[in-house]
Amino acid sequence: MDVDPDGGLHGGYKLKLNSYDLGVDIELADAIQRLRFEHPQVGAVVIGSLKDRVFCAGANIPMLAGAPHPLKVNFCKFTNETRNGIEEATTESGQRYLTAINGTAAGGGYELALSTDHIMLIDDGSATVALPEVPLLGVLPGTGGLTRLVDKRFVRRDLADVFCTVEEGIKGRRAIEWKLVDELVPRSVFAERVGERAMEFAESSPRPADATGVELTPLDRTFGEDRVDYSSVSVAIDRDARSAEFLIKGPVEGAPNHPDAAVSLGAQWWALRAARELDDAILHMRVNELTIGTWIIHTEGDLDALLDHDRFLHENADHWFVNEVMLMWRRVLKRVDVTSRTIVALVEPGSCFAGMLAELVLASDRTYMFLGSREDDDRIAEMEFTASSAGRLTMSNELTRIATRFWGDDEGFDAAIAVIGKRLDADGAMEAGLVTEIFDDIDWDDELRIIFEERTSFSPDSLTAMEANLRFPGPETLETKIFGRLTAWQNWVFQRPNASGETGALRRYGTGLRPDFDKKRV
Amino acid sequence: MDVDPDGGLHGGYKLKLNSYDLGVDIELADAIQRLRFEHPQVGAVVIGSLKDRVFCAGANIPMLAGAPHPLKVNFCKFTNETRNGIEEATTESGQRYLTAINGTAAGGGYELALSTDHIMLIDDGSATVALPEVPLLGVLPGTGGLTRLVDKRFVRRDLADVFCTVEEGIKGRRAIEWKLVDELVPRSVFAERVGERAMEFAESSPRPADATGVELTPLDRTFGEDRVDYSSVSVAIDRDARSAEFLIKGPVEGAPNHPDAAVSLGAQWWALRAARELDDAILHMRVNELTIGTWIIHTEGDLDALLDHDRFLHENADHWFVNEVMLMWRRVLKRVDVTSRTIVALVEPGSCFAGMLAELVLASDRTYMFLGSREDDDRIAEMEFTASSAGRLTMSNELTRIATRFWGDDEGFDAAIAVIGKRLDADGAMEAGLVTEIFDDIDWDDELRIIFEERTSFSPDSLTAMEANLRFPGPETLETKIFGRLTAWQNWVFQRPNASGETGALRRYGTGLRPDFDKKRV
């Protein structure tokens, strides 16, 4: 991928993709992250290329055909998170994306285009947009494609059906009429028109024209055989128990005294550093440690210091960098929500579940809290929920985690909101419905051992599926539909012999042989 | 199943289930249907038994373990439709269901209880409710269980997680506190209290106390090798093309002149007869003809006669029987929406897509309409949408099919609503966005042949999955979440080796051997 920071456009930015595969997807995610933090002045981003075939699903097909099921599923999830991040950049960060297609945008490439705000297609009699997954590969446009067609671009369902079966795609006027693209541009003025459009978008952006960016310096991390260590996050794996202990260390210093001081701290500021490290740890564990089925979340540190940083984030929410850091936490917490592992938070003496970290208590499948103190230690377990739990750290369903937890239970919701800003001990947390169960020193170790052993004995698949259903009560949105309905069907299709079997479409693609299907409809 | 029409309760009705399996599910669906049509006076239905184990998932486990994937999927879909029908009876038909549990309601049995309005549990120190699918079978409570827990009964997600992993279930006070049941009743007064509750429900029901029921007489049907024929519906199978032609014949007589006349016609009234026959044909084709991937919907008859019946249904909507017939059409059309076949409607000269039958045009994945007339026939293709498309025949998403079709497109919606009550030719229908494409006599046969041949060449699985995503834009409801998110994940789990493989939990259950899982989380 070629990144051109000004690309000839004042305040604009061009991402050039030459082909499209998992590697590109990781680069893309990184580029988007950097655009938000390192280039505060950039108000519009153009995704496009000077090559004929801008986006091509072809490049990633061998990977998909040969790849094991977990990698495919992980790839789709990560790709969806990246696309959702593009949409978040537009709505929350003032960095608007547009796509300039001067060739063919097919498959994953067009799905990427769908995540941008504005799609421009060259009108040269041959350039098309296409979702050829069904006719070519026997799988779905599963990284948001089907959902964004009907739920974002509002393509009529029968036209969407036709579009998704036309291998060669749709071009010209019809692409406009069916709402597949926003603008059709003659070849002679394509580059010029793209520039104009990017300029318009950039000019309407609220991003600061002259702010200094924050460099996303390389993460400080060390991989051991059974652990990963960052400056403020560590993960210790117990392979026999098939569980991992995540430990997030709270800040040792107080919050910066001004947003400029936060910018000076940059990637070393605890609030950004911890978020990036946790994000990295989550992705590492998701992709590289498939058999570690239970993630146990611990925190450690000074509640007051943490609350100071949390307060600072809220008080300076209108500063571009502080805003970006808050949004980074939102994205990290959303990754937890859709991670296919059992997540259990343990609130113990010395832990610092407060502010944005308290959201981990609510993002977990279950939370256990220590009642009273340990034999050799006077401290008790305490938590404190803040504005972070009542405001911007929403889930994919656009609700806060408290609203989701008490969906359909107004009394419970009111009781939980009432304890925001209060220091909660185990009894208080239990009473407010914010933890699953509390155990004292006598029971803590035994009860947890039994719980984790039992969990580990269950079918990993049924746990994944159960959690995917219980975590999202209430309304569904574009994002939850992508992770719930679309992803679930794609996962189903991926493992069917018609896709990945010896004679399936994914394996046969490119061999010159036609797939041989089991004809039964299910 | 034992059906006791008065069960000692005035206006009450008891269904006794001794065990629970697919056979019972079909009987149950039939019993519910009969309750609505044959017993207009019944305002409350108690589901329960005098045996110790009222509902037991055990009975259907051998079926699930040994059953092929399509049968499992079909079973779950049908079961879900039955449960949704129970909820519809309460909200739309005034027939309220309650469950009386005097033993153990586990698995499918408790899922059935979840679909009723009120769950009563005996408080005898041993009776429990349970969803043991995850710990026992490595699959999901997939016939609505997970969704109804969090989206209907509003069980908190972490408590739902615990509940779904406790094999032996939850009893007594905790079952109330976690909202798993509505009422805990001492053994000594159980029968009495159930009777009282049923009486209360019956008394508040708007159903008529003294109306005559309509007997659901056996269907008039003949099975041939490649066809099924009913009085007003026929299905002809083309095995080479892997398609089936459905033909629905409109009424030959006008509508009854009074609801009493409709009651006298009973099951012979076209509006009820055609609905029952179409319902039966759909279920037959779904379960018994798995390789027939495309259903082509034709109608034939007099548009005016059909509109007369449709008008009668709307004008007499407050009559219990007319209401039931309209709801029957709603349920049949909802079955089409969730049927995993490509559905294509063909509007031709002589067809009668009007009123409730016009909904088939909108329920289809695509609709093609004949432009002009055929060489040897002066007639042209016409359609007429009515109040049926703007009102009560809603989909599972609680929107009309027109609202769903034009989701996010207010202009398109207004244009479609504007043609309600108008006779539409092909150009008019195309302009209003109500058909996918129109072809004249020269192109009709060739174009359709190519379309159907192409469709048949695609992977049946990718079509199922694509259609499941494109058919439900817009808001999600309890029902759409069950058919979309929950069902998709259950289908995925069913085919994983951890469930149905040689050492999977479904196969190993009852053998005394523990399942051997692939430990990877996906």
Side-chain angles (χ1 to χ4, degrees), chain B residues 39 46 111 114 145 159 192 335 341 361 402 424 444 478:
Chain B
H39 301 282
V46 180
E111 289 186 291
L114 286 171
L159 303 178
E192 185 188 338
R335 279 213 214 276
R341 300 292 190 282
V361 165
I402 284 189
L424 290 175
W444 181 261
L478 183 74

Side-chain angles (χ1 to χ4, degrees), chain A residues 255-453:
Chain A
N257 56 13
H258 189 275
D260 290 343
V263 172
S264 294
L265 285 168
Q268 290 311 308
W269 179 25
W270 177 87
L272 175 55
R273 187 161 44 91
R276 289 180 70 209
E277 290 174 353
L278 181 57
D279 199 47
D280 193 69
I282 289 169
L283 290 173
H284 165 65
M285 292 299 294
R286 258 199 207 165
V287 176
N288 300 315
E289 294 289 355
L290 297 171
T291 63
I292 307 304
T294 305
W295 291 1
I296 304 164
I297 315 289
H298 305 266
T299 56
E300 179 185 283
D302 178 18
L303 271 180
D304 290 318
L306 188 82
L307 287 165
D308 194 32
H309 286 261
D310 187 71
R311 175 199 50 73
F312 177 83
L313 282 168
H314 289 283
E315 284 180 3
N316 298 285
D318 56 353
H319 185 273
W320 78 269
F321 175 56
V322 178
N323 179 47
E324 288 297 351
V325 172
M326 196 60 158
L327 293 173
M328 177 89 200
W329 275 105
R330 188 167 82 153
R331 293 195 299 280
V332 175
L333 289 162
K334 282 162 90 163
R335 279 212 216 275
V336 175
D337 297 329
V338 297
T339 288
S340 56
R341 300 293 190 282
T342 298
I343 317 276
V344 179
L346 298 185
V347 188
E348 296 163 275
S351 71
C352 61
F353 286 103
M356 81 292 272
L357 291 189
E359 286 293 284
L360 289 165
V361 165
L362 307 175
S364 296
D365 295 300
R366 304 182 188 180
T367 301
Y368 297 99
M369 190 160 176
F370 200 99
L371 174 65
S373 58
R374 289 205 161 93
E375 211 181 347
D376 49 357
D377 187 346
D378 282 347
R379 294 176 304 171
I380 61 162
E382 290 184 306
M383 293 198 288
E384 188 169 328
F385 291 83
T386 69
S388 287
S389 296
R392 294 190 65 203
L393 294 179
T394 46
M395 297 171 60
S396 286
N397 60 11
E398 292 176 13
L399 298 178
T400 61
R401 284 180 186 77
I402 284 189
T404 302
R405 186 176 184 85
F406 297 101
W407 183 249
D409 176 7
D410 293 345
E411 211 176 299
F413 176 79
D414 291 343
I417 291 294
V419 300
I420 282 182
K422 295 186 180 149
R423 203 59 62 100
L424 290 175
D425 63 11
D427 285 321
M430 189 67 190
E431 200 176 333
L434 293 163
V435 297
T436 311
E437 193 57 89
I438 55 181
F439 301 119
D440 64 15
D441 199 19
I442 297 169
D443 292 328
W444 181 260
D445 289 341
D446 281 347
E447 292 284 351
L448 292 182
R449 185 180 46 75
I450 292 165
I451 287 164
F452 292 129
E453 278 178 10

Side-chain angles (χ1 to χ4, degrees), chain A residues 151 157-158 161 165 290 340 364 366 405 436 455 461 467-468 474 481 485 492 495-496 498 521, chain B residues 151 157-158 161 165 290 340 364 366 405 436 455 461 467-468 474 481 485 492 495-496 498 521:
Chain A
D151 270 308
R157 56 167 281 198
D158 57 337
D161 181 289
T165 61
L290 297 171
S340 56
S364 296
R366 304 182 188 180
R405 186 176 184 85
T436 311
R455 195 75 171 192
D461 302 323
E467 291 154 5
K481 284 169 95 163
R485 183 181 279 267
W492 178 77
Q495 56 173 348
R496 301 281 295 165
N498 282 342
R521 285 286 293 241
Chain B
D151 271 307
R157 55 167 284 197
D158 58 336
D161 181 289
T165 61
L290 297 172
S340 56
S364 296
R366 304 183 189 180
R405 186 177 183 84
T436 311
R455 195 75 171 192
D461 302 323
E467 290 154 6
K481 284 170 96 161
R485 183 180 279 268
W492 177 78
Q495 56 173 349
R496 300 281 295 166
N498 282 343
R521 285 286 293 242

Side-chain angles (χ1 to χ4, degrees), chain B residues 84-123:
Chain B
N84 294 339
I86 287 176
E87 285 166 342
E88 192 204 61
T90 296
T91 56
E92 305 290 326
S93 182
Q95 214 166 46
R96 204 163 156 196
Y97 281 71
L98 57 158
T99 314
I101 302 169
N102 64 346
T104 298
Y110 181 59
E111 289 186 291
L112 176 57
L114 286 171
S115 72
T116 68
D117 233 21
H118 190 79
I119 305 177
M120 305 175 78
L121 177 66
I122 200 165
D123 188 17

Side-chain angles (χ1 to χ4, degrees), chain B residues 424-438:
Chain B
L424 290 175
D425 62 11
D427 286 320
M430 189 68 190
E431 200 177 333
L434 293 162
V435 296
T436 311
E437 194 55 270
I438 55 180

